Amino acid sequence: MSVADAAWLPPLAWRVIGSRRIRVTGSGPLVETVVDELRQACARFGGEVVRRVDGIPCDLELSLDGDTALGPEGYELSSAGGRTRLRAARPHGLLHGLFHLVRLGGAPATGTYRPAMPRRMLDHWDNVDVHPVMGQVERGYAGGSLFWRAGVARRDWPRVTAYARLLASCGVNAVALNNVNVHATEAHLLTDRLGEVAELAAVFRRYGIRTHLSVSFAAPVLHGLETADPLDERVRRWWATTTAQVYAAIPDFGGYLVKADSEGQPGPFTYGRSHADGANLLAEALAPYGGVVHWRAFVYDHRQDWRDRSVDRARAAFDHFTPHDGAFRVNVVLQVKHGPLDFQAREPVSPLIAAMPATRVAVEFQITQEYTGQQKHVCYLAPMWSELLRGVNGPAIIDSAAELVAVANTGDDPYWTGHPLAQANLYAFGRLGWDPGLDPAAVLDEWASLTFPGVPHEALHAIMDDSWRTYERYTAPLGVGFMVRPGHHYGPDVDGYEYTPWGTYHHADRDGVGVDRTVATGTACAGLYPQPWTRIYESPDECPDELALFFHHLPYGHVLRSGSTVIQHIYDTHFAGAREAAEMRERWADLAGTMPPAKYERVRELLDEQVRSAEEWRDQINSYFFRKSGVPDAKGRRIY
Amino acid sequence: MSVADAAWLPPLAWRVIGSRRIRVTGSGPLVETVVDELRQACARFGGEVVRRVDGIPCDLELSLDGDTALGPEGYELSSAGGRTRLRAARPHGLLHGLFHLVRLGGAPATGTYRPAMPRRMLDHWDNVDVHPVMGQVERGYAGGSLFWRAGVARRDWPRVTAYARLLASCGVNAVALNNVNVHATEAHLLTDRLGEVAELAAVFRRYGIRTHLSVSFAAPVLHGLETADPLDERVRRWWATTTAQVYAAIPDFGGYLVKADSEGQPGPFTYGRSHADGANLLAEALAPYGGVVHWRAFVYDHRQDWRDRSVDRARAAFDHFTPHDGAFRVNVVLQVKHGPLDFQAREPVSPLIAAMPATRVAVEFQITQEYTGQQKHVCYLAPMWSELLRGVNGPAIIDSAAELVAVANTGDDPYWTGHPLAQANLYAFGRLGWDPGLDPAAVLDEWASLTFPGVPHEALHAIMDDSWRTYERYTAPLGVGFMVRPGHHYGPDVDGYEYTPWGTYHHADRDGVGVDRTVATGTACAGLYPQPWTRIYESPDECPDELALFFHHLPYGHVLRSGSTVIQHIYDTHFAGAREAAEMRERWADLAGTMPPAKYERVRELLDEQVRSAEEWRDQINSYFFRKSGVPDAKGRRIY
């Protein structure tokens, strides 16, 4: 199986483009990419591409004469008399429109399309070297890096090209090529290793994707300066000079991504400066070239005393950053994780997102399944992202965020994402960034048609549509989060983080469980939201069940909005979740023979592991709460 | 500070030997070592060594004319008229006697001395390469290996010589030079890397210490054979040939140490053969040369289902090995960890030790403080070993074991053991192997006099004598064990192993805690001991409090032999243990100015960490059991 066949957009998908007479007008590198794509389709399926305007009518016309209101990436599709027309104001629009036509698979096309989020960015947590604990891709579950191997650029250009094409086809238009935890080797990508970055950037540029780098705030020190103080003139000059050299090598370089003063990374706090000072330093260096700083808001005390219940990690980013709203330069993007803790399967939206009206905010999702089954479990994340974007259980992200960013789930695995079905999350991220209103099930149909041509969608929907909720059911209950094995974060350990400095607790005792984050008696995190959410979260009766234990410490006998008690809800959802995992495996068996055997087998084996793991979660969580509460299961099922 | 000054036997200790006229008769390499030691002392402190018999009387006479009943290592000391005489039948006896005289510090010497255990062996868990997770020395807390660096023999001969001398001086006479978990590189020490081992063996030989190697049971396969089946003729020939080559290079080679079918290591089970088949294969190869196989009995299912309470890891070695008693060749030594689990601060003695009357048994202690504070905590282990050897809470090890083995706690740290006070454990191991009847406090005096000349012993006794019990008080209660952070095993995590496949559980629920190992209602582990111990362990009223939760699941309100309830015992010991750690720190402050400042500071800093860690243990254990039991502390102290 070729790499191209292992993901969506296999050669066969281009049949709908080939066999036709196609005219392309306009020029520039991205237009040439469009023409190349079309010519390859025609070479395989017949048809021809013409570049000049002549009198002969075409089946498909792509032209750069669209309304400038379409913006740099928008396009307009129209069909009449068996002819299809794609118009854009800029070449990037033609590229997006082309992939749209492929997605349509020949169905008639009409309408105007513009992205909701102007930047849809993928952060790769790839290390150039293999980290002794984290491996090469931090929180990566799909093999090694696509970009780096054995300490240098891997230079597997066909593979990187195929990857850039996949990303462009779902709408991603920016990538960061190295881990936000910047180690010693990776700090030199910015300077003496810049040539390797430029080579990669050239490949991504062909598909309209701009390249960014994660940088260390201590980079000046790592390069021989005695300080990295953002207010030091020598430091400003160092960043200005360094940035000028970056743009000399990569004229469309996107900018810097920075994790500062977080989990041991250096930052402006070292010098008694604020995060605004730190971010503005880099923004100033980038401004002349149109570059941006993505400054991560993931700042909290990871040496917290678990005994001190007045400290709340869920407030940390809010408390750190809201005083600086308005103090950031316009080319600073504050990059905020979607939840206030850390990419849990269920969290409220981060209160910081809606609290920075004078700052450009990007919201960060995690496609790589660190806390959602590590690409051993099927967990289709689009429904979660869709709820967060649209605001089902809290303020809508689309009301505040200007960009969407995600941590990539890809690697050099033949299926790109380890679990073949995890590809759908990458695809859906790009699509939802373009249009947050898309129905996750419709996105799944798009991806499935492109990926499993000829496979009936029914079984895929049965397995994937509700898989995030299934995962939620058999893991940490009612929004309380964590309960994972410390360090690697796979599998259950209810107390794994309970007495640690990481700030992620559940406070279970023999009477109840959950974190009191109310204004009345707790850490007041519930009070950081706009109304009506502060009122809703504050009330144990109004708070959505999904977030009940995130905001409240509740007795085991407390009756939820569902009518169930907390303890019976725990038992019921855990038995249900494990049963649903087993049902997924049964449904997958229906698909034997509909796809290449290796792909079928890969998923089948992973479903075995998912079923095993779901049962382990079920039994550990149920046993833990039964041993603690002493309340038997109302249905008398086996608890250990 | 020189390496020699960093441990016991600093140059000053030899003053008692110098300044005298000394006659040595006899010959051979070990006698020359003795003469060298004496000449160095005389060169520094005056005096002379004569080798011929003349008429002139000497202050000190060492002669090889002792009674052969003294055995290969024994010696006889006598004093009369200001003259001291040391006689031995064999050169090794002279060496031991010489160190005895140094220990005496000039006090008169009389008596006959022979070791209780003919072999006192140190196992080094050193890797030649640095392991990505375990580091270079597995469970090592004293820096890198003394023997290996950057993938090859380190060849720091002065340091290795100083080390061999230290070991000989406390009675160690055998070493294994590499980790029992044999990785790919280390498997070649036996063959193409043998030259490096021979160089090291030559240094240890100078001090009467024989060199052993850990070998992989799969070594034939790693060297190109298609099988390692112990009954395959090609495999037998491979071991015979390989062993012949080893002895050609190292004529006094001690033998092989094997961890087979344990925690992922290969073994005879792979081929459907028994451990007797496996051990005898190697024993047969070694027999012509007088070598032995140390075959570790640490065999258990490390993929246990925590839900299945019928499986008991504490029975595993007993169940595996007792059927094979009598089936091992005479040069097989079954090496049994002292407790049935894994080097916990408190366990009963392993039932296997007394259950193999027809097999040579070595008991294995762990000097490296994996579960006893990792050389960050003061934990003088001699009282524990003494109790186990003499049989205070169970059958005496000295009644059954023929050898004593221990996992080393040394490395390239300037103080050899990380924590300077951890040296005492190494010293005491050698001394107790020679004479299990020694009083641990007296051994501490010996060590302290040699190590801290001029420092009053009172503070050291106050800090160290009871430090093992202090450590026990603030960690897992009443013999239940574990409750450590999985993986690295430092610091508390009560449920860390509770739902894992490792077989180490405490079964705490809201009503009680402990593992039912009774014959009546549990796993019947209590029934594996000789009487009266089976009767004692079986009864919750007779069982020693120290082992109460090892053998019984008890309600929190159960009244112990001490008169306290289980829950109040937990609270009381944890408050007491943490307070005692703080008192240790205060006592150490008394010693400021009595020793080199760097050594004083090293211990002071480590005591800060011990106090912090002890408080963390106190608060986590107390909070865990308070949250679970709901029983308040009778003394109203702060529990979180």
Side-chain angles (χ1 to χ4, degrees):
Chain A
M1 182 192 57
S2 79
V3 151
D5 277 312
W8 68 90
L9 283 183
L12 210 59
W14 293 82
R15 193 167 35 190
V16 300
I17 294 295
S19 319
R20 304 213 266 178
R21 190 165 192 272
I22 306 166
R23 175 178 291 123
V24 185
T25 58
S27 65
L30 268 185
V31 175
E32 294 314 310
T33 299
V34 169
V35 170
D36 279 355
E37 292 285 342
L38 293 167
R39 285 198 170 130
Q40 285 176 43
C42 292
R44 181 163 180 144
F45 299 103
E48 65 167 326
V49 179
V50 296
R51 300 297 304 275
R52 65 198 177 281
V53 181
D54 58 20
I56 305 166
C58 288
D59 307 299
L60 174 58
E61 267 193 80
L62 294 81
S63 61
L64 268 188
D65 62 353
D67 187 345
T68 55
L70 289 167
E73 299 189 285
Y75 55 91
E76 190 186 335
L77 291 174
S78 54
S79 298
R83 293 169 55 197
T84 302
R85 188 149 185 216
L86 163 59
R87 300 168 71 201
R90 303 281 298 277
H92 213 154
L94 286 192
L95 186 68
H96 290 304
L98 171 65
F99 288 122
H100 189 138
L101 291 171
V102 177
R103 275 201 298 276
L104 285 173
T110 313
T112 302
Y113 302 89
R114 270 183 301 263
M117 304 279 185
R119 189 164 8 232
R120 291 86 55 199
M121 178 164 167
L122 265 195
D123 290 355
H124 295 86
W125 286 357
D126 293 17
N127 300 313
V128 173
D129 294 323
V130 174
H131 187 274
V133 175
M134 287 295 177
Q136 189 175 22
V137 181
E138 183 160 333
R139 310 301 178 188
Y141 314 102
S145 171
L146 290 162
F147 313 135
W148 315 102
R149 183 156 60 186
V152 294
R154 187 167 180 164
R155 296 193 171 84
D156 181 353
W157 304 129
R159 186 87 198 252
V160 179
T161 303
Y163 185 55
R165 185 168 171 271
L166 277 182
L167 298 190
S169 78
C170 66
V172 169
N173 64 359
V175 291
L177 295 182
N178 64 304
N179 191 359
V180 290
N181 291 318
V182 180
H183 307 290
T185 300
E186 292 77 9
H188 287 263
L189 294 177
L190 187 63
T191 52
D192 40 302
R193 306 280 301 262
L194 186 60
E196 293 161 76
V197 180
E199 290 180 66
L200 284 158
V203 178
F204 282 106
R205 185 182 300 120
R206 276 197 57 207
Y207 285 92
I209 296 168
R210 289 176 80 171
T211 294
H212 299 238
L213 277 183
S214 294
V215 301
S216 167
F217 194 77
V221 174
L222 294 172
H223 287 80
L225 234 60
E226 61 193 63
T227 179
D229 181 348
L231 301 193
D232 189 291
E233 188 50 41
R234 293 165 300 173
V235 174
R236 290 179 62 201
R237 277 201 306 272
W238 188 89
W239 281 109
T241 307
T242 300
T243 304
Q245 286 162 354
V246 170
Y247 278 91
I250 309 170
D252 61 344
F253 182 72
Y256 300 141
L257 169 59
V258 190
K259 175 177 180 177
D261 292 315
S262 171
E263 297 180 336
Q265 290 293 307
F269 288 171
T270 311
Y271 305 97
R273 311 300 183 191
S274 74
H275 276 246
D277 294 332
N280 290 344
L281 164 75
L282 305 185
E284 181 189 52
L286 288 158
Y289 313 98
V292 296
V293 181
H294 284 91
W295 190 265
R296 291 180 93 228
F298 187 53
V299 177
Y300 69 99
D301 177 7
H302 68 287
R303 294 184 179 167
Q304 189 177 327
D305 188 342
W306 59 269
R307 303 166 185 86
D308 181 359
R309 296 206 182 180
S310 71
V311 180
D312 183 2
R313 171 169 164 178
R315 291 189 57 114
F318 184 98
D319 292 341
H320 274 294
F321 285 95
T322 51
H324 300 290
D325 189 33
F328 293 100
R329 293 182 65 117
V330 291
N331 61 330
V332 172
V333 184
L334 189 66
Q335 184 166 318
V336 185
K337 291 190 183 192
H338 66 78
L341 287 179
D342 190 11
F343 296 137
Q344 299 306 290
R346 177 71 71 171
E347 293 184 58
V349 73
S350 166
L352 179 60
I353 295 169
M356 300 292 284
T359 306
R360 188 170 178 85
V361 168
V363 168
E364 184 177 327
F365 290 152
Q366 192 182 43
I367 314 181
T368 193
Q369 292 172 235
E370 177 179 0
Y371 294 100
T372 51
Q374 303 200 350
Q375 281 135 263
K376 294 189 175 91
H377 296 221
V378 180
C379 185
Y380 180 50
L381 293 166
M384 171 168 83
W385 299 333
S386 172
E387 286 194 6
L388 290 164
L389 288 163
R390 293 181 294 114
V392 171
N393 280 317
I397 286 175
I398 49 168
D399 290 345
S400 307
E403 301 189 3
L404 214 54
V405 176
V407 185
N409 66 343
T410 39
D412 67 2
D413 170 69
Y415 298 100
W416 299 93
T417 54
H419 201 308
L421 303 186
Q423 289 176 11
N425 289 326
L426 177 59
Y427 183 86
F429 164 74
R431 296 290 292 130
L432 288 173
W434 184 283
D435 183 356
L438 289 172
D439 172 8
V443 174
L444 187 67
D445 277 324
E446 282 183 11
W447 171 78
S449 295
L450 289 169
T451 310
F452 294 97
V455 174
H457 290 194
E458 194 200 341
L460 292 172
H461 280 296
I463 291 165
M464 296 176 72
D465 279 352
D466 206 38
S467 55
W468 160 58
R469 288 182 179 277
T470 291
Y471 186 83
E472 181 188 22
R473 284 184 192 105
Y474 59 73
T475 57
L478 296 161
V480 77
F482 284 86
M483 303 193 168
V484 291
R485 284 266 145 204
H488 58 66
H489 299 164
Y490 187 76
D493 183 352
V494 180
D495 273 2
Y497 279 100
E498 188 60 13
Y499 302 92
T500 72
W502 293 95
T504 53
Y505 312 116
H506 55 66
H507 295 163
D509 60 25
R510 74 194 328 251
D511 302 314
V513 56
V515 182
D516 185 353
R517 291 191 165 101
T518 63
V519 178
T521 55
T523 68
C525 181
L528 306 181
Y529 290 86
Q531 293 295 8
W533 295 107
T534 275
R535 192 199 75 235
I536 291 171
Y537 294 154
E538 180 76 10
S539 157
D541 298 321
E542 283 192 75
C543 184
D545 285 351
E546 289 86 346
L547 301 173
L549 299 183
F550 187 92
F551 286 113
H552 299 276
H553 184 87
L554 298 174
Y556 292 117
H558 171 88
V559 177
L560 296 164
R561 292 168 64 83
S562 68
S564 181
T565 61
V566 167
I567 189 73
Q568 194 59 41
H569 173 95
I570 291 173
Y571 297 150
D572 287 346
T573 51
H574 284 79
F575 283 110
R579 189 181 60 242
E580 287 159 19
E583 287 164 3
M584 285 181 186
R585 182 167 59 178
E586 286 168 31
R587 291 309 303 261
W588 185 254
D590 298 346
L591 295 177
T594 66
M595 66 186 74
K599 196 176 202 173
Y600 173 81
E601 284 299 319
R602 168 81 72 103
V603 175
R604 194 191 59 72
E605 286 168 17
L606 288 164
L607 282 165
D608 285 346
E609 165 56 17
Q610 182 168 6
V611 170
R612 183 208 64 76
S613 179
E615 291 173 352
E616 183 67 26
W617 271 100
R618 174 195 67 197
D619 292 337
Q620 281 199 35
I621 299 266
N622 284 346
S623 297
Y624 180 96
F625 284 103
F626 174 66
R627 290 190 196 179
K628 214 148 201 167
S629 71
V631 180
D633 172 35
K635 296 170 191 162
R637 291 163 291 195
R638 180 74 187 268
I639 296 177
Y640 297 88
Chain B
M1 182 193 54
S2 78
V3 152
D5 278 312
W8 69 90
L9 283 183
L12 210 59
W14 293 82
R15 194 166 37 190
V16 300
I17 294 296
S19 321
R20 303 211 268 177
R21 189 163 193 272
I22 305 165
R23 176 178 290 126
V24 183
T25 57
S27 65
L30 267 186
V31 175
E32 295 315 309
T33 299
V34 169
V35 169
D36 279 355
E37 292 284 341
L38 292 167
R39 284 199 170 129
Q40 285 177 42
C42 291
R44 181 160 180 147
F45 299 105
E48 65 166 325
V49 179
V50 295
R51 299 298 303 276
R52 66 199 175 279
V53 182
D54 58 19
I56 306 165
C58 289
D59 307 299
L60 174 58
E61 269 193 77
L62 294 81
S63 61
L64 266 189
D65 62 350
D67 186 345
T68 54
L70 288 167
E73 298 190 284
Y75 57 90
E76 190 186 336
L77 292 173
S78 54
S79 299
R83 293 169 57 200
T84 301
R85 187 149 185 216
L86 163 59
R87 300 167 71 203
R90 303 280 298 277
H92 213 153
L94 287 191
L95 186 68
H96 289 305
L98 171 65
F99 288 122
H100 189 140
L101 291 170
V102 177
R103 275 200 299 274
L104 286 172
T110 313
T112 301
Y113 302 89
R114 272 182 299 265
M117 304 280 186
R119 189 163 9 231
R120 290 86 55 199
M121 179 164 166
L122 267 194
D123 290 355
H124 295 85
W125 287 356
D126 293 18
N127 300 314
V128 173
D129 294 324
V130 175
H131 188 273
V133 175
M134 286 296 176
Q136 189 177 21
V137 181
E138 183 160 332
R139 309 304 179 186
Y141 313 103
S145 171
L146 290 162
F147 312 134
W148 315 103
R149 182 155 61 187
V152 294
R154 189 167 177 164
R155 296 194 171 84
D156 182 352
W157 304 130
R159 186 88 198 251
V160 179
T161 303
Y163 185 55
R165 186 167 170 269
L166 277 181
L167 297 190
S169 78
C170 67
V172 169
N173 65 0
V175 291
L177 295 182
N178 65 303
N179 190 358
V180 290
N181 291 318
V182 180
H183 307 292
T185 301
E186 292 76 8
H188 286 264
L189 294 177
L190 187 64
T191 52
D192 39 303
R193 306 280 302 263
L194 186 60
E196 293 162 77
V197 180
E199 290 180 67
L200 284 157
V203 177
F204 282 106
R205 185 182 300 120
R206 277 196 57 207
Y207 285 92
I209 296 168
R210 291 176 78 171
T211 294
H212 299 237
L213 278 182
S214 294
V215 301
S216 166
F217 195 77
V221 174
L222 295 171
H223 287 80
L225 235 59
E226 62 193 60
T227 179
D229 181 346
L231 301 193
D232 188 293
E233 187 52 39
R234 292 165 299 173
V235 173
R236 291 178 63 201
R237 276 202 306 273
W238 188 88
W239 281 109
T241 307
T242 300
T243 305
Q245 287 161 354
V246 171
Y247 278 90
I250 310 170
D252 61 345
F253 182 71
Y256 300 141
L257 168 60
V258 190
K259 176 177 180 178
D261 292 316
S262 171
E263 296 179 337
Q265 290 294 307
F269 288 170
T270 311
Y271 305 98
R273 312 300 183 189
S274 74
H275 276 246
D277 294 333
N280 290 344
L281 165 76
L282 305 184
E284 181 189 49
L286 289 158
Y289 313 98
V292 297
V293 182
H294 284 91
W295 190 264
R296 292 180 92 229
F298 187 52
V299 176
Y300 68 99
D301 178 8
H302 68 286
R303 294 184 180 169
Q304 190 178 326
D305 188 340
W306 59 269
R307 304 166 184 85
D308 181 359
R309 296 206 182 180
S310 72
V311 180
D312 183 1
R313 171 169 163 178
R315 292 188 56 113
F318 184 98
D319 293 341
H320 274 296
F321 284 96
T322 51
H324 299 291
D325 189 32
F328 293 100
R329 293 183 64 116
V330 291
N331 62 329
V332 172
V333 184
L334 189 66
Q335 183 166 319
V336 186
K337 292 191 182 192
H338 67 78
L341 287 178
D342 190 12
F343 297 136
Q344 300 306 289
R346 177 71 71 172
E347 293 184 56
V349 72
S350 166
L352 179 60
I353 295 169
M356 299 293 282
T359 305
R360 188 171 178 85
V361 168
V363 168
E364 184 177 325
F365 290 153
Q366 193 182 43
I367 314 181
T368 193
Q369 292 171 235
E370 177 178 0
Y371 293 101
T372 52
Q374 303 198 351
Q375 281 134 263
K376 294 189 175 90
H377 295 222
V378 180
C379 186
Y380 180 49
L381 295 166
M384 173 169 83
W385 297 334
S386 172
E387 286 194 7
L388 290 164
L389 288 163
R390 293 180 295 112
V392 171
N393 280 318
I397 286 175
I398 48 169
D399 291 345
S400 307
E403 302 188 4
L404 214 54
V405 177
V407 186
N409 66 343
T410 40
D412 68 0
D413 170 69
Y415 298 99
W416 300 93
T417 53
H419 201 309
L421 302 187
Q423 288 175 11
N425 289 325
L426 177 59
Y427 183 86
F429 165 72
R431 297 290 293 128
L432 288 173
W434 183 283
D435 183 357
L438 289 173
D439 172 10
V443 173
L444 187 67
D445 278 323
E446 281 182 12
W447 172 77
S449 296
L450 289 168
T451 310
F452 293 97
V455 173
H457 289 193
E458 195 198 339
L460 292 171
H461 281 297
I463 291 165
M464 295 175 73
D465 279 351
D466 206 38
S467 56
W468 160 57
R469 287 181 180 278
T470 291
Y471 186 83
E472 182 187 21
R473 284 184 193 105
Y474 60 71
T475 57
L478 295 160
V480 77
F482 284 86
M483 303 193 168
V484 292
R485 283 266 146 205
H488 59 65
H489 299 165
Y490 187 75
D493 184 351
V494 181
D495 273 1
Y497 279 101
E498 188 59 12
Y499 302 93
T500 73
W502 292 95
T504 54
Y505 312 116
H506 56 65
H507 295 164
D509 60 25
R510 73 195 325 251
D511 302 314
V513 55
V515 182
D516 185 352
R517 292 192 166 103
T518 63
V519 178
T521 55
T523 68
C525 181
L528 306 181
Y529 290 87
Q531 292 295 9
W533 294 107
T534 275
R535 192 200 74 236
I536 292 171
Y537 293 154
E538 180 76 10
S539 158
D541 299 320
E542 284 192 75
C543 184
D545 285 352
E546 289 86 345
L547 301 173
L549 298 183
F550 187 92
F551 286 112
H552 299 277
H553 185 87
L554 298 174
Y556 292 116
H558 172 87
V559 178
L560 296 164
R561 292 169 65 84
S562 69
S564 181
T565 61
V566 166
I567 189 73
Q568 194 58 40
H569 172 96
I570 291 173
Y571 297 152
D572 287 347
T573 51
H574 284 79
F575 283 111
R579 190 181 60 243
E580 288 158 18
E583 287 164 2
M584 285 181 187
R585 182 166 60 178
E586 286 169 30
R587 291 309 303 260
W588 185 254
D590 298 344
L591 296 178
T594 67
M595 67 186 75
K599 196 177 202 173
Y600 173 81
E601 283 299 320
R602 168 80 73 100
V603 175
R604 194 191 59 71
E605 286 168 16
L606 287 165
L607 282 165
D608 285 346
E609 165 57 15
Q610 182 168 7
V611 170
R612 183 207 66 75
S613 179
E615 290 172 352
E616 184 67 27
W617 271 100
R618 174 195 68 198
D619 292 337
Q620 281 199 34
I621 299 266
N622 284 345
S623 297
Y624 180 96
F625 284 103
F626 173 66
R627 290 191 196 178
K628 213 148 203 169
S629 72
V631 180
D633 173 34
K635 297 171 189 161
R637 291 163 292 195
R638 180 74 186 270
I639 296 177
Y640 298 87

